[in-house]
Amino acid sequence: MEYIIIFIAAVFVNNIVLAQFLGICPFLGVSKKVETAVGMSAAVAFVMTISTLTTYLMQKLVLDPLGLGFMQTISFILIIAALVQMVEIILKKVSPALYQALGVFLPLITTNCTILGVAIMVIQKDYTLLSSIVFAISSAVGFGLALIIFSGIREQLSLTRTPKAMQGIPIALITAGILAMAFMGFNGIV
Amino acid sequence: MKNNLKILTNGIIGENPTFVLLLGMCPTLGTTSSALNGMAMGLATTFVLICSNMTISSMKNLIPDQVRIPAYIVLIAAFVTVVQMLMEAFIPALYAGLGLFIPLIVVNCIVLGRAEAYAAKNKVIPSMFDGIGIGLGFTLALTLLGACRELLGTGKMFSLTVYPENFGSLIFVLAPGAFIVLGFLIAIINKIKS
Protein backbone atom coordinates (compact mmCIF):
# COMPACT_ATOMS: atom_id res chain seq x y z
CA MET A 1 0.00 0.00 0.00
CA GLU A 2 2.79 2.40 0.98
CA TYR A 3 4.44 1.86 -2.40
CA ILE A 4 1.17 2.48 -4.27
CA ILE A 5 0.81 5.82 -2.46
CA ILE A 6 4.39 6.79 -3.34
CA PHE A 7 3.69 5.84 -6.97
CA ILE A 8 0.46 7.84 -7.32
CA ALA A 9 1.89 10.84 -5.47
CA ALA A 10 5.00 10.97 -7.67
CA VAL A 11 3.23 10.39 -10.99
CA PHE A 12 0.10 12.54 -10.63
CA VAL A 13 0.00 14.74 -7.53
CA ASN A 14 3.60 15.96 -7.32
CA ASN A 15 4.49 15.42 -10.94
CA ILE A 16 8.22 16.03 -11.24
CA VAL A 17 7.92 18.31 -14.28
CA LEU A 18 4.60 20.07 -13.87
CA ALA A 19 4.53 20.54 -10.09
CA GLN A 20 8.21 20.48 -9.06
CA PHE A 21 9.82 22.12 -12.13
CA LEU A 22 12.62 19.61 -12.59
CA GLY A 23 13.77 18.58 -16.06
CA ILE A 24 12.26 21.57 -17.88
CA CYS A 25 15.12 21.65 -20.41
CA PRO A 26 14.39 18.22 -21.95
CA PHE A 27 10.67 18.90 -21.44
CA LEU A 28 10.91 21.90 -23.79
CA GLY A 29 13.79 20.62 -25.90
CA VAL A 30 12.86 17.11 -27.01
CA SER A 31 9.06 17.41 -27.05
CA LYS A 32 8.60 18.31 -30.69
CA LYS A 33 7.92 14.71 -31.75
CA VAL A 34 6.25 11.86 -29.88
CA GLU A 35 8.93 9.31 -30.91
CA THR A 36 11.85 11.27 -29.46
CA ALA A 37 9.81 11.93 -26.33
CA VAL A 38 9.32 8.19 -25.83
CA GLY A 39 13.06 7.52 -26.33
CA MET A 40 14.06 10.24 -23.88
CA SER A 41 11.59 9.00 -21.24
CA ALA A 42 12.92 5.45 -21.51
CA ALA A 43 16.52 6.64 -21.17
CA VAL A 44 15.64 8.77 -18.12
CA ALA A 45 13.76 5.87 -16.46
CA PHE A 46 16.73 3.57 -17.00
CA VAL A 47 19.40 5.95 -15.68
CA MET A 48 17.27 7.33 -12.83
CA THR A 49 16.64 3.90 -11.31
CA ILE A 50 20.30 2.87 -11.42
CA SER A 51 21.65 6.23 -10.25
CA THR A 52 19.22 6.54 -7.33
CA LEU A 53 20.22 3.04 -6.18
CA THR A 54 23.94 3.92 -6.40
CA THR A 55 23.74 7.34 -4.76
CA TYR A 56 21.51 5.96 -1.99
CA LEU A 57 24.08 3.29 -1.17
CA MET A 58 26.89 5.89 -1.37
CA GLN A 59 25.08 8.13 1.13
CA LYS A 60 24.20 5.34 3.60
CA LEU A 61 27.42 3.29 3.37
CA VAL A 62 30.11 5.93 2.80
CA LEU A 63 29.03 9.52 3.48
CA ASP A 64 26.93 8.97 6.64
CA PRO A 65 29.34 6.66 8.57
CA LEU A 66 32.30 8.92 7.78
CA GLY A 67 30.42 12.16 8.55
CA LEU A 68 31.00 13.54 5.06
CA GLY A 69 27.48 14.90 4.47
CA PHE A 70 28.87 18.10 2.97
CA MET A 71 30.37 16.10 0.09
CA GLN A 72 26.87 15.06 -1.05
CA THR A 73 26.51 17.37 -4.06
CA ILE A 74 30.04 16.76 -5.38
CA SER A 75 29.98 12.98 -4.95
CA PHE A 76 26.46 12.56 -6.37
CA ILE A 77 27.15 14.52 -9.55
CA LEU A 78 30.39 12.59 -10.11
CA ILE A 79 28.62 9.25 -9.60
CA ILE A 80 25.88 10.26 -12.04
CA ALA A 81 28.35 11.46 -14.68
CA ALA A 82 30.45 8.29 -14.40
CA LEU A 83 27.35 6.10 -14.39
CA VAL A 84 25.91 7.62 -17.55
CA GLN A 85 29.24 7.08 -19.29
CA MET A 86 29.37 3.48 -18.07
CA VAL A 87 25.78 2.71 -19.09
CA GLU A 88 26.59 4.04 -22.53
CA ILE A 89 29.66 1.78 -22.92
CA ILE A 90 27.89 -1.32 -21.55
CA LEU A 91 24.79 -0.82 -23.70
CA LYS A 92 26.90 -0.39 -26.80
CA LYS A 93 28.54 -3.79 -26.16
CA VAL A 94 25.66 -5.81 -24.69
CA SER A 95 22.58 -4.56 -26.48
CA PRO A 96 23.28 -2.63 -29.68
CA ALA A 97 19.52 -2.42 -30.41
CA LEU A 98 18.78 -0.66 -27.13
CA TYR A 99 21.84 1.54 -27.63
CA GLN A 100 20.51 2.57 -31.04
CA ALA A 101 17.22 3.57 -29.44
CA LEU A 102 18.57 5.39 -26.37
CA GLY A 103 22.08 6.35 -27.52
CA VAL A 104 21.47 9.94 -28.55
CA PHE A 105 19.73 10.82 -25.31
CA LEU A 106 22.27 9.38 -22.86
CA PRO A 107 24.90 12.18 -22.92
CA LEU A 108 22.12 14.74 -22.36
CA ILE A 109 21.04 13.02 -19.18
CA THR A 110 24.04 14.02 -17.01
CA THR A 111 22.83 17.62 -16.98
CA ASN A 112 19.18 16.62 -16.55
CA CYS A 113 18.29 17.95 -13.13
CA THR A 114 15.63 15.29 -12.50
CA ILE A 115 18.36 12.69 -11.92
CA LEU A 116 20.31 14.69 -9.30
CA GLY A 117 17.04 16.08 -7.93
CA VAL A 118 15.52 12.65 -7.24
CA ALA A 119 18.82 11.37 -5.79
CA ILE A 120 18.84 14.25 -3.27
CA MET A 121 15.08 14.06 -2.62
CA VAL A 122 15.12 10.43 -1.47
CA ILE A 123 17.83 11.32 1.07
CA GLN A 124 15.87 14.36 2.31
CA LYS A 125 12.65 12.33 2.61
CA ASP A 126 14.52 9.63 4.54
CA TYR A 127 13.13 6.75 2.44
CA THR A 128 14.19 3.12 2.80
CA LEU A 129 16.08 1.50 -0.08
CA LEU A 130 12.98 -0.11 -1.58
CA SER A 131 10.86 3.07 -1.26
CA SER A 132 13.69 5.02 -2.91
CA ILE A 133 13.68 2.73 -5.91
CA VAL A 134 9.87 2.85 -6.16
CA PHE A 135 10.05 6.66 -5.91
CA ALA A 136 12.73 6.83 -8.64
CA ILE A 137 10.72 4.63 -11.01
CA SER A 138 7.49 6.56 -10.36
CA SER A 139 9.23 9.91 -10.86
CA ALA A 140 10.53 8.64 -14.19
CA VAL A 141 7.02 7.48 -15.14
CA GLY A 142 5.69 10.93 -14.20
CA PHE A 143 8.38 12.58 -16.31
CA GLY A 144 7.55 10.29 -19.24
CA LEU A 145 3.82 10.89 -18.89
CA ALA A 146 4.18 14.68 -18.89
CA LEU A 147 6.70 14.61 -21.77
CA ILE A 148 4.63 12.31 -23.99
CA ILE A 149 1.33 14.17 -23.42
CA PHE A 150 3.09 17.48 -24.06
CA SER A 151 4.77 16.26 -27.27
CA GLY A 152 1.39 15.06 -28.54
CA ILE A 153 -0.06 18.53 -27.96
CA ARG A 154 2.95 20.22 -29.56
CA GLU A 155 2.64 18.12 -32.72
CA GLN A 156 -0.88 19.50 -33.12
CA LEU A 157 0.22 22.99 -32.08
CA SER A 158 2.77 23.22 -34.90
CA LEU A 159 -0.10 23.10 -37.41
CA THR A 160 -2.01 26.03 -35.91
CA ARG A 161 -1.58 29.71 -36.66
CA THR A 162 -0.13 31.53 -33.67
CA PRO A 163 0.78 35.26 -33.43
CA LYS A 164 4.37 35.87 -34.51
CA ALA A 165 5.68 36.92 -31.10
CA MET A 166 4.12 33.84 -29.48
CA GLN A 167 5.63 31.26 -31.84
CA GLY A 168 7.95 28.59 -30.47
CA ILE A 169 8.82 28.72 -26.79
CA PRO A 170 6.21 31.25 -25.50
CA ILE A 171 3.19 29.27 -26.73
CA ALA A 172 4.83 26.02 -25.57
CA LEU A 173 5.24 27.49 -22.06
CA ILE A 174 1.62 28.65 -21.92
CA THR A 175 0.46 25.21 -23.08
CA ALA A 176 2.58 23.65 -20.35
CA GLY A 177 0.90 26.02 -17.87
CA ILE A 178 -2.55 24.78 -18.89
CA LEU A 179 -1.30 21.18 -18.65
CA ALA A 180 0.00 21.93 -15.14
CA MET A 181 -3.42 23.34 -14.28
CA ALA A 182 -5.02 20.10 -15.46
CA PHE A 183 -2.63 18.09 -13.26
CA MET A 184 -3.64 20.23 -10.27
CA GLY A 185 -6.98 18.40 -10.49
CA PHE A 186 -5.22 15.38 -8.95
CA ASN A 187 -4.50 17.35 -5.76
CA GLY A 188 -5.92 15.67 -2.71
CA ILE A 189 -6.32 12.12 -4.02
CA VAL A 190 -3.61 10.80 -1.68
CA MET B 1 37.58 49.25 -18.78
CA LYS B 2 35.26 50.19 -21.64
CA ASN B 3 35.62 46.68 -22.97
CA ASN B 4 34.73 45.16 -19.59
CA LEU B 5 31.62 47.34 -19.45
CA LYS B 6 30.62 45.97 -22.83
CA ILE B 7 31.02 42.38 -21.56
CA LEU B 8 28.85 43.32 -18.58
CA THR B 9 25.95 44.77 -20.60
CA ASN B 10 26.19 41.90 -23.10
CA GLY B 11 25.42 39.48 -20.27
CA ILE B 12 22.52 41.55 -18.95
CA ILE B 13 20.82 42.48 -22.25
CA GLY B 14 22.37 41.00 -25.41
CA GLU B 15 22.79 37.45 -24.13
CA ASN B 16 20.32 37.45 -21.25
CA PRO B 17 20.38 33.79 -20.14
CA THR B 18 16.64 33.54 -19.44
CA PHE B 19 14.93 35.66 -22.08
CA VAL B 20 17.38 35.32 -25.00
CA LEU B 21 19.34 32.08 -24.53
CA LEU B 22 16.50 30.25 -22.69
CA LEU B 23 18.92 28.45 -20.35
CA GLY B 24 18.44 27.42 -16.73
CA MET B 25 14.67 27.05 -16.93
CA CYS B 26 14.24 24.85 -13.84
CA PRO B 27 15.30 27.42 -11.21
CA THR B 28 13.66 30.17 -13.28
CA LEU B 29 10.27 28.51 -12.93
CA GLY B 30 10.76 26.76 -9.61
CA THR B 31 12.00 29.53 -7.33
CA THR B 32 10.11 32.61 -8.53
CA SER B 33 6.98 32.31 -6.38
CA SER B 34 7.97 35.72 -4.95
CA ALA B 35 10.32 38.50 -6.03
CA LEU B 36 12.58 37.97 -3.01
CA ASN B 37 12.99 34.22 -3.64
CA GLY B 38 13.78 34.88 -7.29
CA MET B 39 16.39 37.48 -6.40
CA ALA B 40 18.03 35.21 -3.80
CA MET B 41 18.29 32.36 -6.30
CA GLY B 42 19.73 34.74 -8.91
CA LEU B 43 22.35 36.07 -6.51
CA ALA B 44 23.36 32.56 -5.38
CA THR B 45 23.84 31.57 -9.03
CA THR B 46 25.77 34.81 -9.70
CA PHE B 47 28.20 34.00 -6.89
CA VAL B 48 28.82 30.51 -8.28
CA LEU B 49 29.20 31.91 -11.81
CA ILE B 50 31.79 34.54 -10.82
CA CYS B 51 33.86 32.08 -8.75
CA SER B 52 33.72 29.27 -11.32
CA ASN B 53 34.49 31.58 -14.24
CA MET B 54 37.52 33.05 -12.45
CA THR B 55 38.94 29.70 -11.29
CA ILE B 56 38.39 27.94 -14.59
CA SER B 57 39.93 30.79 -16.54
CA SER B 58 43.00 30.86 -14.30
CA MET B 59 43.40 27.06 -14.46
CA LYS B 60 42.65 26.61 -18.16
CA ASN B 61 46.28 25.72 -19.01
CA LEU B 62 46.50 23.13 -16.23
CA ILE B 63 43.36 21.14 -17.10
CA PRO B 64 43.92 18.56 -19.88
CA ASP B 65 41.48 19.00 -22.73
CA GLN B 66 40.03 15.45 -22.59
CA VAL B 67 38.85 15.65 -18.98
CA ARG B 68 37.84 19.31 -18.94
CA ILE B 69 34.07 18.76 -18.51
CA PRO B 70 34.34 16.53 -15.38
CA ALA B 71 36.99 18.91 -13.99
CA TYR B 72 34.69 21.91 -14.51
CA ILE B 73 31.77 20.08 -12.89
CA VAL B 74 33.83 19.26 -9.79
CA LEU B 75 34.96 22.89 -9.47
CA ILE B 76 31.38 24.14 -9.86
CA ALA B 77 30.08 21.57 -7.35
CA ALA B 78 32.68 22.77 -4.82
CA PHE B 79 31.46 26.38 -5.09
CA VAL B 80 27.83 25.27 -4.90
CA THR B 81 28.62 23.43 -1.66
CA VAL B 82 30.16 26.65 -0.30
CA VAL B 83 27.00 28.63 -1.15
CA GLN B 84 24.80 25.90 0.28
CA MET B 85 26.61 25.85 3.63
CA LEU B 86 26.79 29.67 3.88
CA MET B 87 23.05 30.02 3.19
CA GLU B 88 22.14 27.27 5.62
CA ALA B 89 24.16 28.98 8.36
CA PHE B 90 23.25 32.65 7.83
CA ILE B 91 19.85 32.79 6.07
CA PRO B 92 18.11 29.52 7.04
CA ALA B 93 14.59 30.80 6.15
CA LEU B 94 15.58 31.57 2.57
CA TYR B 95 17.55 28.31 2.32
CA ALA B 96 14.43 26.37 3.34
CA GLY B 97 12.35 28.27 0.77
CA LEU B 98 14.68 27.54 -2.13
CA GLY B 99 15.35 23.99 -0.93
CA LEU B 100 16.41 21.54 -3.61
CA PHE B 101 17.25 24.23 -6.15
CA ILE B 102 20.46 25.31 -4.36
CA PRO B 103 22.33 21.99 -4.88
CA LEU B 104 20.81 21.87 -8.36
CA ILE B 105 22.86 24.95 -9.39
CA VAL B 106 25.49 22.31 -10.28
CA VAL B 107 23.41 21.11 -13.22
CA ASN B 108 22.33 24.61 -14.28
CA CYS B 109 23.42 24.79 -17.91
CA ILE B 110 24.23 28.51 -17.63
CA VAL B 111 27.19 27.89 -15.31
CA LEU B 112 28.75 25.05 -17.30
CA GLY B 113 27.88 26.83 -20.55
CA ARG B 114 29.78 30.01 -19.57
CA ALA B 115 32.75 27.96 -18.34
CA GLU B 116 32.98 26.16 -21.67
CA ALA B 117 32.07 29.07 -23.97
CA TYR B 118 33.82 31.97 -22.27
CA ALA B 119 36.08 31.25 -19.27
CA ALA B 120 38.04 28.49 -21.01
CA LYS B 121 39.07 30.88 -23.79
CA ASN B 122 39.58 34.22 -22.01
CA LYS B 123 41.68 35.87 -19.30
CA VAL B 124 40.67 36.08 -15.63
CA ILE B 125 39.40 39.69 -15.48
CA PRO B 126 37.13 39.54 -18.57
CA SER B 127 35.84 36.16 -17.32
CA MET B 128 34.96 37.76 -13.99
CA PHE B 129 32.99 40.50 -15.75
CA ASP B 130 31.27 37.90 -17.92
CA GLY B 131 30.24 36.05 -14.76
CA ILE B 132 28.93 39.27 -13.18
CA GLY B 133 27.05 40.25 -16.37
CA ILE B 134 25.40 36.88 -17.02
CA GLY B 135 24.67 36.49 -13.30
CA LEU B 136 23.02 39.91 -13.07
CA GLY B 137 21.03 39.21 -16.24
CA PHE B 138 19.78 35.99 -14.66
CA THR B 139 19.02 37.74 -11.35
CA LEU B 140 17.08 40.53 -13.09
CA ALA B 141 15.04 38.03 -15.11
CA LEU B 142 14.21 35.98 -12.01
CA THR B 143 13.32 39.07 -9.98
CA LEU B 144 11.06 40.36 -12.78
CA LEU B 145 9.29 37.01 -13.11
CA GLY B 146 8.98 36.69 -9.32
CA ALA B 147 7.64 40.24 -9.01
CA CYS B 148 5.01 39.66 -11.75
CA ARG B 149 3.85 36.41 -10.16
CA GLU B 150 3.75 37.90 -6.65
CA LEU B 151 1.85 40.97 -7.88
CA LEU B 152 -0.72 38.98 -9.89
CA GLY B 153 -1.10 36.30 -7.26
CA THR B 154 -1.16 38.13 -3.94
CA GLY B 155 -1.24 41.84 -4.78
CA LYS B 156 2.15 42.39 -3.15
CA MET B 157 5.62 43.21 -4.41
CA PHE B 158 8.67 42.43 -2.24
CA SER B 159 6.04 41.77 0.49
CA LEU B 160 4.67 45.36 0.25
CA THR B 161 0.93 45.50 -0.46
CA VAL B 162 0.08 47.12 -3.80
CA TYR B 163 -3.61 46.19 -3.95
CA PRO B 164 -5.86 44.12 -1.66
CA GLU B 165 -5.04 40.42 -1.63
CA ASN B 166 -8.66 39.44 -2.42
CA PHE B 167 -8.25 40.71 -5.98
CA GLY B 168 -5.21 38.53 -6.73
CA SER B 169 -5.60 35.04 -8.16
CA LEU B 170 -3.56 32.42 -6.36
CA ILE B 171 -2.97 30.40 -9.56
CA PHE B 172 -0.07 32.73 -10.48
CA VAL B 173 1.84 31.78 -7.34
CA LEU B 174 1.20 28.07 -7.94
CA ALA B 175 2.91 25.93 -10.60
CA PRO B 176 0.77 26.78 -13.69
CA GLY B 177 1.28 30.53 -13.18
CA ALA B 178 5.06 30.13 -13.56
CA PHE B 179 4.73 28.68 -17.06
CA ILE B 180 2.07 31.15 -18.18
CA VAL B 181 3.76 34.34 -16.88
CA LEU B 182 7.15 33.33 -18.35
CA GLY B 183 5.49 32.52 -21.69
CA PHE B 184 3.88 35.95 -21.85
CA LEU B 185 7.08 37.75 -20.72
CA ILE B 186 9.11 36.09 -23.51
CA ALA B 187 6.35 36.89 -26.03
CA ILE B 188 6.36 40.57 -24.95
CA ILE B 189 10.16 40.74 -25.28
CA ASN B 190 9.96 39.13 -28.75
CA LYS B 191 7.38 41.76 -29.73
CA ILE B 192 9.53 44.65 -28.49
CA LYS B 193 12.61 43.31 -30.31
CA SER B 194 10.91 42.91 -33.69
Side-chain angles (χ1 to χ4, degrees):
Chain A
M1 194 60 205
E2 188 202 337
Y3 300 124
I4 298 173
I5 291 174
I6 292 179
F7 182 80
I8 293 176
V11 175
F12 296 111
V13 183
N14 282 320
N15 186 287
I16 194 151
V17 181
L18 297 169
Q20 311 217 34
F21 302 113
L22 296 178
I24 303 286
C25 294
F27 182 67
L28 293 174
V30 294
S31 60
K32 289 202 179 107
K33 271 191 182 154
V34 176
E35 289 153 50
T36 47
V38 173
M40 184 71 189
S41 318
V44 166
F46 193 65
V47 174
M48 196 183 279
T49 316
I50 306 175
S51 69
T52 307
L53 177 67
T54 326
T55 51
Y56 185 87
L57 293 176
M58 174 81 182
Q59 176 81 23
K60 295 291 167 194
L61 299 178
V62 180
L63 297 183
D64 279 353
L66 297 178
L68 290 173
F70 62 91
M71 291 289 281
Q72 195 190 49
T73 315
I74 301 180
S75 56
F76 280 17
I77 190 72
L78 274 180
I79 289 178
I80 292 167
L83 204 74
V84 171
Q85 200 80 51
M86 207 175 74
V87 167
E88 204 178 336
I89 296 168
I90 293 175
L91 270 189
K92 209 172 182 174
K93 191 82 187 162
V94 177
S95 165
L98 197 61
Y99 178 77
Q100 281 277 311
L102 304 184
V104 235
F105 304 107
L106 282 173
L108 294 174
I109 285 180
T110 314
T111 52
N112 183 336
C113 45
T114 48
I115 308 285
L116 184 62
V118 168
I120 297 175
M121 253 192 275
V122 294
I123 306 294
Q124 282 179 351
K125 292 187 185 211
D126 218 8
Y127 279 154
T128 61
L129 182 59
L130 202 56
S131 316
S132 303
I133 294 171
V134 173
F135 182 74
I137 296 173
S138 351
S139 295
V141 171
F143 177 78
L145 182 73
L147 189 62
I148 292 164
I149 294 176
F150 189 55
S151 62
I153 300 175
R154 272 187 95 175
E155 274 189 358
Q156 300 288 316
L157 208 60
S158 62
L159 302 172
T160 58
R161 277 173 53 207
T162 34
K164 199 151 181 280
M166 296 285 259
Q167 274 165 14
I169 293 293
I171 193 74
L173 280 169
I174 292 164
T175 314
I178 296 168
L179 195 59
M181 231 182 268
F183 266 73
M184 277 178 74
F186 292 113
N187 269 358
I189 56 171
V190 286
Chain B
M1 198 59 222
K2 207 176 164 193
N3 198 20
N4 288 338
L5 211 65
K6 217 167 121 188
I7 300 171
L8 206 69
T9 49
N10 176 50
I12 299 175
I13 299 162
E15 285 190 30
N16 186 296
T18 307
F19 293 132
V20 181
L21 303 179
L22 300 166
L23 292 175
M25 282 295 153
C26 302
T28 307
L29 294 165
T31 61
T32 50
S33 56
S34 71
L36 191 67
N37 277 356
M39 203 165 86
M41 184 67 208
L43 290 177
T45 313
T46 308
F47 176 78
V48 175
L49 252 173
I50 297 170
C51 294
S52 72
N53 261 9
M54 284 174 75
T55 348
I56 287 165
S57 143
S58 58
M59 289 173 72
K60 61 178 180 284
N61 296 327
L62 296 173
I63 300 172
D65 213 32
Q66 296 89 338
V67 293
R68 66 180 193 287
I69 301 288
Y72 294 167
I73 290 181
V74 174
L75 279 173
I76 294 167
F79 288 119
V80 170
T81 310
V82 170
V83 171
Q84 202 178 343
M85 290 166 89
L86 284 176
M87 286 186 82
E88 201 172 359
F90 292 108
I91 29 177
L94 215 50
Y95 179 76
L98 298 175
L100 193 58
F101 286 97
I102 296 291
L104 287 182
I105 297 175
V106 181
V107 282
N108 188 330
C109 11
I110 299 172
V111 184
L112 191 62
R114 286 332 277 182
E116 174 78 2
Y118 199 91
K121 297 187 191 104
N122 289 285
K123 291 208 174 67
V124 179
I125 298 297
S127 300
M128 185 183 83
F129 278 98
D130 182 70
I132 299 175
I134 294 282
L136 284 182
F138 188 60
T139 311
L140 277 178
L142 257 63
T143 315
L144 178 66
L145 183 59
C148 288
R149 284 178 67 191
E150 202 183 348
L151 186 68
L152 290 168
T154 61
K156 292 176 182 161
M157 200 181 269
F158 284 104
S159 306
L160 297 170
T161 308
V162 179
Y163 60 85
E165 200 172 337
N166 303 349
F167 294 111
S169 66
L170 192 63
I171 195 83
F172 287 105
V173 180
L174 298 175
F179 288 107
I180 295 171
V181 173
L182 183 63
F184 276 107
L185 280 178
I186 295 176
I188 291 168
I189 286 167
N190 281 350
K191 187 79 190 169
I192 294 169
K193 271 200 304 194
S194 64

